[in-house]
């Protein structure tokens, strides 16, 4: 038979030497990949919010808003709905960027 009533006290573990951490800079390729990933996340969040953004419906108001932001009024091949959608996405991107600051 084994007697389990007797307990033994163990000594505390010996102190560990300090850990040295070496921090390395990211390569240019890694930094570019990180930036691309951040832009993809920004675009994804902007797409989620784009439908909640109020966008003018009158052509002149859309054109004025694009000019105020320094963006082209119309890109080659765009119809009026495409121009309005581009304005909507730009407003959503700027809203997301403003919140991230």
């Amino acid at each position: 038979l084994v007697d389990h009533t007797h307990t033994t006290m163990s000594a505390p573990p010996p102190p560990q030497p300090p850990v040295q951490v070496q921090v390395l800079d990211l390569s240019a390729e890694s930094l570019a990949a990180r930036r691309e990933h951040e832009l993809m996340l920004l675009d994804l969040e902007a797409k989620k919010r784009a439908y909640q953004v109020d966008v003018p419906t009158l052509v002149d108001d859309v054109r004025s808003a694009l000019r105020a932001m320094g963006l082209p009024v119309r890109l080659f091949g765009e119809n009026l709905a495409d121009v309005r959608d581009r304005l909507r996405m730009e407003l959503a991107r700027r809203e997301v960027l403003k919140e991230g600051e």
Side-chain angles (χ1 to χ4, degrees), residues 46-63:
K47 283 179 184 178
K48 281 191 224 176
R49 293 189 187 196
Y51 296 104
Q52 300 171 357
V53 175
D54 291 330
V55 181
T57 54
L58 298 176
V59 176
D60 291 336
D61 293 343
V62 171
R63 190 176 297 137

Side-chain angles (χ1 to χ4, degrees), residues 6-84:
H6 184 5
T7 59
T8 60
M9 299 289 287
S10 61
Q16 299 292 323
V19 177
Q20 292 184 2
V21 177
Q22 182 179 9
V23 178
L24 302 174
D25 292 330
L26 294 175
S27 67
E29 184 178 299
S30 294
L31 289 172
R34 174 189 257 177
R35 180 69 182 144
E36 183 179 340
H37 180 71
E38 288 172 355
L39 289 174
M40 285 174 40
L41 290 176
L42 168 68
D43 211 36
L44 187 66
E45 184 64 28
K47 283 179 184 178
K48 281 191 224 176
R49 293 189 187 196
Y51 296 104
Q52 300 171 357
V53 175
D54 291 330
V55 181
T57 54
L58 298 176
V59 176
D60 291 336
D61 293 343
V62 171
R63 190 176 297 137
S64 297
L66 287 168
R67 281 189 181 135
M69 289 189 273
L71 298 173
V73 172
R74 201 161 198 182
L75 299 176
F76 181 77
E78 276 186 328
N79 61 30
L80 295 175
D82 295 335
V83 174
R84 190 166 183 263

Side-chain angles (χ1 to χ4, degrees), residues 42 45-46 49 91-100:
L42 168 68
E45 184 64 28
R49 293 189 187 196
L91 290 170
R93 277 189 200 100
R94 288 176 185 221
E95 186 178 293
V96 169
L97 282 173
K98 188 167 53 171
E99 284 182 7

